[in-house]
Amino acid sequence: MGNNSLFLHLLLALLLGHVKPDPDPLQDYCVADNKPKGSFFTNGKPCIDPNLASPSHFCTSVLSKPGNTKGNVFGFNVTLTNTVNLPGLNTLGLTLARVDLSENGIVPPHSHPRASEVTICLKGSILVGFVDTSNRLFSQKLLPGDSFVFPKALIHFLYNPDLNSPALALSGLSSQNPGLQLVALASFTSKPSIPDQILAKAFQITGQDVSRIRKNLGG
Ligand SMILES: *[C@@H]1O[C@H](CO)[C@@H](O)[C@H](O)[C@H]1NC(C)=O
């Protein structure tokens, strides 16, 4: 494709609103170079010489071990593939996530600004849901083998209602860098903080409530 027709193609794609989650790769693969010489900024990671690519660049065991769910108040641990532990996924627009939930654990309401997500429950039961932009909740209880999709950027949660056994889910995300914003943490533990009076008005609570919530969330 010549430069001109590429430009026209891009312009047309923009006009028609064909916005892709991640740009398509222009070659078979672009194994991430995690130690590039010098510092420069690219959209994604630069690639190693394709002749140096090996099968191990396309393989990882990072999802084989359960995450420790005791490390946070919510009782979840998410392990992600990324361009460091799986350099072959650079530019492919994919992430795989292992979601471990403790007994009664929750991945609290959050959003991925750059990715849709499809999740499959592998162990236990998981109550999942997302809220659309008209504030409607779509929620389901998943059992092992059941899958659910969360549309891009919409706020969603995963909850293990079982008080006695942990739960496990696996998620695919449509970006190599989906991004994550937890609603509670973004609101109450940002650095620097959102001023108390703003949170008090936004959530219709008192200044004392704001302090208590900040403290509970470790902010
Ligand atoms: C998730 O689990 C891993 C592996 O046990 C651990 O190193 C990490 O600190 C845990 N993360 C959190 C937020 O608890």
Side-chain angles (χ1 to χ4, degrees), residues 65-72 76-79:
K65 295 166 223 81
N68 174 7
T69 55
K70 306 281 181 276
N72 62 70
F76 79 94
N77 192 311
V78 175
T79 314

Side-chain angles (χ1 to χ4, degrees), residues 138-188:
F138 295 77
S139 184
Q140 284 284 310
K141 188 170 173 182
L142 308 183
L143 295 173
D146 294 342
S147 297
F148 193 83
V149 284
F150 304 110
K152 182 174 178 172
L154 296 185
I155 290 173
H156 59 283
F157 59 83
L158 296 91
Y159 170 59
N160 174 13
D162 195 317
L163 301 180
N164 302 307
S165 10
L168 174 65
L170 195 66
S171 286
L173 294 121
S174 63
S175 167
Q176 74 179 43
N177 186 17
L180 166 69
Q181 276 193 307
L182 292 160
V183 176
L185 298 187
S187 304
F188 288 92

Side-chain angles (χ1 to χ4, degrees), residues 23-109:
D24 279 336
L26 299 173
Q27 61 282 306
D28 282 357
Y29 48 83
C30 169
V31 175
D33 184 355
N34 288 308
K35 288 183 191 127
K37 288 171 204 75
S39 62
F40 62 99
F41 297 92
T42 62
N43 190 17
K45 290 271 180 74
C47 330
I48 62 168
D49 178 345
N51 291 321
L52 301 177
S54 71
S56 66
H57 288 130
F58 299 89
C59 181
T60 181
S61 302
V62 75
L63 303 184
S64 63
K65 295 166 223 81
N68 174 7
T69 55
K70 306 281 181 276
N72 62 70
V73 292
F74 305 115
F76 79 94
N77 192 311
V78 175
T79 314
L80 294 166
T81 62
N82 55 43
T83 53
V84 175
N85 57 32
L86 186 57
L89 71 65
N90 192 35
T91 76
L92 302 187
L94 297 167
T95 292
L96 206 51
R98 174 189 175 122
V99 184
D100 287 286
L101 286 162
S102 67
E103 299 81 356
N104 209 30
I106 188 173
V107 186

